Amino acid sequence: MKKNAYLQKQRATVDAYRQAEKDTYIQFMTDTLILTLNDPEVMGKDVFGRERIKRVIEAWGKKFDKYHGALEKGDEQDYHQIKMDEALRSILGEEGFAPFKKRYDWLKEPK
């Protein structure tokens, strides 16, 4: 019993660190996106202000939630990967597009 409780405690600790890492990277990517959208060297005269950035960040969160299943192990993982690829291919065209397996080569393929 003690070993099992210890393993559960260790697993909870690892899960907490993973969540903290995920949350940190989401915040960092959000911060750098905001800075990029407001940078005239990148955006020219069409920089995004507070309200426009707010709309983009809110919509970005919804897209994140919509496609996050592509990274989660489960029955629908491959479905989400295919849908994400279809959407990106339609935006980027064949020349600018790389398939999910190439973009996320460190992920194991769904079974």
Side-chain angles (χ1 to χ4, degrees):
M1 265 317 213
K2 279 192 174 200
K3 187 175 182 181
N4 210 8
Y6 173 76
L7 290 176
Q8 288 176 342
K9 184 177 178 182
Q10 286 298 104
R11 182 66 182 172
T13 300
V14 168
D15 288 348
Y17 279 117
R18 285 183 178 155
Q19 186 64 46
E21 182 179 36
K22 177 183 168 189
D23 291 347
T24 299
Y25 270 95
I26 289 171
Q27 185 60 57
F28 185 76
M29 292 194 63
T30 302
D31 292 347
T32 55
L33 176 64
I34 290 169
L35 293 169
T36 303
L37 292 174
N38 191 256
D39 184 345
E41 289 183 19
V42 176
M43 302 297 292
K45 293 180 181 179
D46 194 26
V47 297
F48 285 29
R50 182 181 55 225
E51 290 305 312
R52 206 166 168 197
I53 287 173
K54 185 178 168 184
R55 287 193 312 268
V56 168
I57 297 303
E58 185 177 317
W60 191 22
K62 289 177 183 176
K63 294 289 184 197
F64 181 93
D65 292 341
K66 178 179 180 178
Y67 291 108
H68 194 264
L71 301 177
E72 296 174 349
K73 292 181 182 179
D75 295 340
E76 296 183 358
Q77 182 180 16
D78 57 342
Y79 169 80
H80 291 288
Q81 291 175 6
I82 290 166
K83 288 300 183 184
M84 178 181 258
D85 276 356
E86 288 173 352
L88 288 170
R89 184 181 282 114
S90 72
I91 295 166
L92 301 172
E94 284 301 325
E95 290 181 18
F97 174 75
F100 189 92
K101 291 174 185 161
K102 188 172 183 177
R103 295 190 317 271
Y104 298 91
D105 62 344
W106 49 270
L107 279 181
K108 292 181 183 177
E109 286 192 42
K111 295 181 180 180

